[in-house]
Structure formats: C-alpha cells, structure tokens
Amino acid sequence: MAHIEGLGKGLLAVASKLGKLEISNERISKSREEIKQLLSEYKSQARDEVDPRLKSKLKNYLKKLNANSRVPFNFRLEVMDMFTDCMEILDDDLVPEVLNSYKVAIEVLYRHALKDQELAPPLAELAAMAMTLATRTLRKTARQYRRTSLIGIRETLSLAKIGLELTGKFNLEGTEGAHILRQQIALHEIIRSMRTRAMTVIDQDTVIDTIQENMHEDHLIDVRFIPRDSHIEALGFALIADVQKPHLPPRKSLRLNETTHDDIILCELDLLVTKLIEEMKSAQSLMGKSASHYHDEYAFVSEKLNRSMVSGLAVIDMMREKKRIYERKPPSPAIYIQIEEDVGQVMSTLAENKQRSPFILQSANTGEAGIWLAVDVSEGGYCLEKMPSDAKTAPSRFVVSDLVYVIALTRAETGSKDWKELDRSLCTVCWYEMEANNVARIGLAKLKNGEIRHARITSSLLSTEAPKDFAAFVENISENKLGIWTVGMDMAQDVCIEIHTANGVQTGKIGKPMKCGANYTVYSCKLE
C-alpha cells in the first residue's frame, strides 16, 4: 500500500480476504500491465510538458475503473497505490479522478462491511489515506503558488464527509485511521484558510509542519460532520467548510450558534491555535522583544524560536479578517510595469548619479511580452497580471519577499506604440499566484519614506578593512533612526557608516538586522 505512516495494514488484510471471494481474470492482468506502462511514460515526461493524449488515457482509465463496480477490491487498491506513488507529479485534472477512485473503493468496502462488521475498521484507514493525499496535493499547489482545482476541493470535501459519517456509523472514532482522518481534514482546511500566496515556500513548510506536529495531540482539535438543518453551538476559534460550496474558503468563527442550511464540516481549533500563540509569546519573551519588533527579526533567531514565531504569526494572520489599507482601482489609461531583474545593479547606478536615466526598456522596445499589466493600482502598490501567452516570460525568478525595481509606463497616445514613463520605485513582492487559467498575478508594495543613496562603511571591528562603498535604500524611521535596505550586503553590528544625502553627509552606527527578504536585508542605523 501507499507509504502513509500508520495506515495500510488493515486494508491489506481486507484486500486479501476479499480477493478470495472475487474473480480475477486475464483482462485484469492485462489492465495492470497497461496502467504500469502508462504511468511509466508519465513519469518520464513529468519534468517537461506531458503529452495531452497520455493524460487523457490515464484519466479515461481511472474513469472506467471507477465506473466498474465488479473490479476486484485488491486490484482496485493496487491501481490506487500506483497512482498514489505518482501523486507529487500528477496534474490537477488527474488528482480528482484519483480521489474519486478512493471514494468508489470506500463505497465497495462499505457494502461488504454491512455484511461483515470485521471489515469496517479499514474504512477509516481508507478515508484517512484519501484525505492525506488530498492535503499533500493542496500543499504542492500552495508551494507552486497555484490554486487547487474546484473539482479537487469538491472531491476532498465529499470524501471528508463520507469518512466522518462512516467512522461514526461503525463506532471507529478511537481508531488510528479516524485520528489521522480528523488531523488531515483539519490541516486541509487550515491550509485553505491561510494566505499561502503571501508566504515564502520555506515559511509555508515551517508553519504547516509545526501545525501538523502539534496535531498529534488529538485533544487539541475536534472535527465533525454536521448535516443540514442541524443546530450547532461552538465556542472558540473554528473553521466551517460548506460541503456544497467548494468555491468558498472555510468560514471563520469565534462563537457559533446557528442552524445550518447546508452540510458542513466543523473544525474546532481553539486549543490548537491557543497553544501555538502561547508558544509564540514564550519565544517572544525569551528574546525580550515586542511582537511588532520580533516580526521583523524572526529570521535571525534560533530555529526553534523561529518556528514558534513564524507559526504563531501565521495563525494570528489566518484568524484575522483582512481589510484593505489602500483603495484600489483599475487604472485608466492602462498602466504597464517593467520589472528590472538586477535590483542591486539598479540601486548602484542610481546611487552614483540620481539625475541620470540609465535604463533601456528592452522589453518595451520588443513589444509587451516582458511587460506586466497593472490591473489594480493604489497609493501602496500594484496588482500585476500576465496573460497565458506570456507564460514563458512570467518571472518565476521573482519570489515572495523579493525586492524589485519597477518602472510604470503608459502609451504616449491612444493607439501609439511609444511609451511614456510615469513612475519608478522600489517594491517588495508581497504575494504571487498562478490562476487556474495560467494567468500569473503578482502583488507589489512600494517602499516609502526614503530614497536610494550612496553609503560607505568607514570603520568596522576589523580595523584593517578598507572603506567599502555600497548603495542602499535609506528609510526614515524616526528623528535619529534609519532603516538601511541593502542587497547582497552583510554588515556586523556597531559598524560605522556614512550616508550621502542632498543636504550633506550623515553618519551613523549599524544596529541589529530589522528584517530580511529573499534578496535583501534591512539594518537599523542610529544617527550620530
């Protein structure tokens, strides 16, 4: 069986028992070899573009398997196991068919369990395996900044409902399978509720792994299926997933007292989130920092404290209802954004000569292939979009928390091919995602209250080290404190620097790092 810890033993025993009662034939053996060959071809093509005809063959094979109730149960499990081993490389349109295969297998086993109660316990195992695979798929798409297909979410919620109903019907709540089933349903809905598009892949893994580790304490969560027209009360933080509305994210609640209009899955998580937040507060106390300061410095503490802080902050962010700070609106006339790749080089050039305009808009001169369309613009930043035809130029090299330099452009005149420059600014990539139709979107937040300046390290702990020039974005924090944004620069605490401004030279001393991103570090600087 598929390699999922704690699951599969009961299913192997059931498959062996049912296999003696079912008929296998040459057609089954031939089918087994056929699917092995197809999956082998799929694996060999997975790194490149998979032939659509091959994907169609695999999809049709699963549909035929799911539609044939006379397929032996042990062979059905064997096929599911082969697909499970390929789950990490399966396309979104194949995953729902694999999940549907699990649902059909559960229905087959359920019919046998009605006649023989000894066959009931593996029902929870089978449902738990399906939910584990669904959660892994959701994690994979989150790491790729893609949205999981609605069909996949619909199949997952349907499986969760069936699994919870059957564990209750056969009194399986205390089994290992039921325990893992509840864990995976809760984890799946937590991931759906998080803003993973605004998290680095490393932070995604840190948060989800930490939450999953804490879920081994079964008393911290409670997951129930609530049929429609039921009155439900729950106190504390909970996520409510509507089984009939997979297009909607889970609803958040701190106090639930209502009659349901649809079938729902209720995940009560108050004890879990309380524990994670308390661990964050303990880590914060150890560091002797306020939460706001620590948020900017968590990358520089020990791994354990880092995990606690990152996870706690992500949980708080998940619980909070978001409100837009700046009003956004589609620009008119249209605004296009050129993203310069080498932000360090851009800053160095600008620091040397603020009056010079050194950039050649190469993408603009060769058409719009390398240009992003601004679909929303506000005082705080941009929401950019790139159409599927530009997929090869979509900057996968830009990741969440990158520092980038952007040039805002518009057409000089209506219908003209000439460009007119509107603005230039440093921005951070605050989120990134690929829509289901392969439209790439990226969110940029402008840096404010500062300018790109030439700076110099004048002295350091290594007295023999020569002065070193560098470019930095100098952010005004308070009257005698600056934020020094650097790219590719490591500076020790207490290093003395000079900052060249329009009004002369400022001197200061570097303090602790305040923040870091994928390609930059922000240091505090106390003016002298």
Side-chain angles (χ1 to χ4, degrees), residues 122-135:
L123 279 169
E125 285 190 38
L126 200 53
M129 289 176 67
M131 278 306 307
T132 301
L133 295 175
T135 304

Side-chain angles (χ1 to χ4, degrees), residues 106 123-128 131 156-175 177-186 189 218 221-227 239 241 243 263-268:
I106 289 171
L123 279 169
E125 285 190 38
L126 200 53
M131 278 306 307
T156 300
L157 294 178
S158 177
L159 277 164
K161 170 188 171 181
I162 292 170
L164 292 172
E165 283 184 311
L166 292 180
T167 53
K169 182 180 180 67
F170 290 98
N171 297 317
L172 304 175
E173 287 90 345
T175 64
H179 171 62
I180 295 176
L181 174 65
R182 290 190 295 270
Q183 282 183 0
Q184 294 301 316
I185 293 173
E189 295 310 294
D218 201 31
I221 63 171
D222 187 21
V223 178
R224 292 179 281 159
F225 168 68
I226 310 294
L239 295 175
V243 177
D263 292 343
I264 66 168
I265 294 172
L266 176 65
C267 302
E268 296 183 76

Side-chain angles (χ1 to χ4, degrees), residues 342-354 356 358-359 452-454 469-472 487:
D342 192 342
V343 66
Q345 180 59 45
V346 170
M347 290 173 63
S348 295
T349 304
L350 288 176
E352 290 172 9
N353 187 347
K354 291 286 292 182
R356 192 153 55 107
F359 305 110
I452 295 174
R453 294 293 183 187
H454 176 268
D469 294 335
F470 65 97
V487 175

Side-chain angles (χ1 to χ4, degrees), residues 194 198-211 276-277 279-281 283-284 291 294-318 516:
M194 285 184 167
M199 300 166 67
T200 65
V201 171
I202 292 175
D203 280 355
Q204 284 184 34
D205 290 342
T206 297
V207 172
I208 296 172
D209 288 345
T210 301
I211 291 173
L276 292 170
I277 292 172
E279 288 179 353
M280 180 196 74
K281 290 179 178 179
Q284 170 193 321
Y294 192 90
H295 187 347
D296 289 337
E297 299 181 21
Y298 66 77
F300 300 93
V301 299
S302 69
E303 182 180 353
K304 185 174 181 180
L305 296 181
N306 175 52
R307 286 172 63 90
S308 297
M309 289 302 303
V310 173
S311 302
L313 290 168
V315 166
I316 292 173
D317 183 69
M318 176 188 70
C516 75

